[in-house]
Amino acid sequence: MNANVLANAFGPREGTALRVKQVALVALGIVALAVAAKIKVPMWPVPITMGTFAVLTIGTAYGARLGLITMLGYLLVGALGFDVFAGSSAEKFGLTYMMGGTGGYLVGYLMATILLGALAARGWDRSVGKLALALVLANVLIYVPGLLWLGQLYGWDKPILEWGLTPFLLGDAIKLALAALLIPGLWKLLGDART
């Protein structure tokens, strides 16, 4: 775990205690991702789900390596058939759901986590402005494979942008703003607690 990320700013930094902390953070992250995916805030034109907010904050707070392990763990739990994704239902779990319209976005989650973790390790998570830019870039990394997957799956003659991008932009802007305020705020709290 990189020393410059939020998850390493507290608790043990070496040995067995560090490994226990990392395992606990991964487990907590998987639970947070699963719970956040089910939270729907009424909004127009579509409800806001908090799954991407959890992806963005975990990627930033955990760093690239631990964040990626957490995301892979989350995807594994979903692949095993547990109802951890935003739109899964009793009829469509596991790999069947993951290979549907959501598949590209799930790949984007991994890419966004790596980017955010790398930028957080360089201090981008301490500034609202830099973190906001990092979050926009990460959101692009979620949308690009998501839209490519939708186009490949359903055909480029379909309204891919209307299905997979434009209805979500307003909600994503709100989630990005929240994440851009939350992480630097936590850094400030940690700094204040140490003084």
Side-chain angles (χ1 to χ4, degrees), residues 19-111:
R19 298 294 171 235
V20 169
K21 179 178 93 169
Q22 289 173 328
V23 169
L25 285 171
V26 168
L28 181 64
I30 292 169
V31 169
L33 286 160
V35 169
K38 298 300 181 186
I39 297 173
K40 291 184 177 156
V41 180
M43 181 89 175
W44 179 87
V46 293
I48 299 174
T49 59
M50 296 306 288
T52 52
F53 175 77
V55 170
L56 298 172
T57 54
I58 287 170
T60 304
Y62 281 20
R65 192 173 130 247
L66 193 63
L68 182 60
I69 291 167
T70 303
M71 289 302 151
L72 290 171
Y74 170 65
L75 295 178
L76 177 63
V77 169
L80 292 173
F82 292 94
D83 188 8
V84 295
F85 300 122
S88 51
S89 67
E91 297 81 39
K92 200 172 180 184
F93 284 135
L95 289 175
T96 304
Y97 177 80
M98 293 173 78
M99 296 307 289
T102 304
Y105 298 100
L106 296 175
V107 170
Y109 282 3
L110 298 173
M111 294 166 56

Side-chain angles (χ1 to χ4, degrees), residues 150-175:
L150 284 177
Q152 199 60 31
L153 196 62
Y154 297 111
W156 292 103
D157 58 326
K158 302 290 191 283
I160 299 302
L161 295 179
E162 290 173 33
W163 290 354
L165 176 68
T166 53
F168 305 101
L169 291 177
L170 179 60
D172 282 349
I174 293 168
K175 289 183 275 189

Side-chain angles (χ1 to χ4, degrees), residues 2 9-10 18 24 32 37 40 59 66 77 98 121 123 132 139 149 151 159 165 176 179:
N2 192 304
F10 63 91
L18 171 62
K40 291 184 177 156
L66 193 63
V77 169
M98 293 173 78
N139 228 34
W149 183 261
L165 176 68
L176 294 181

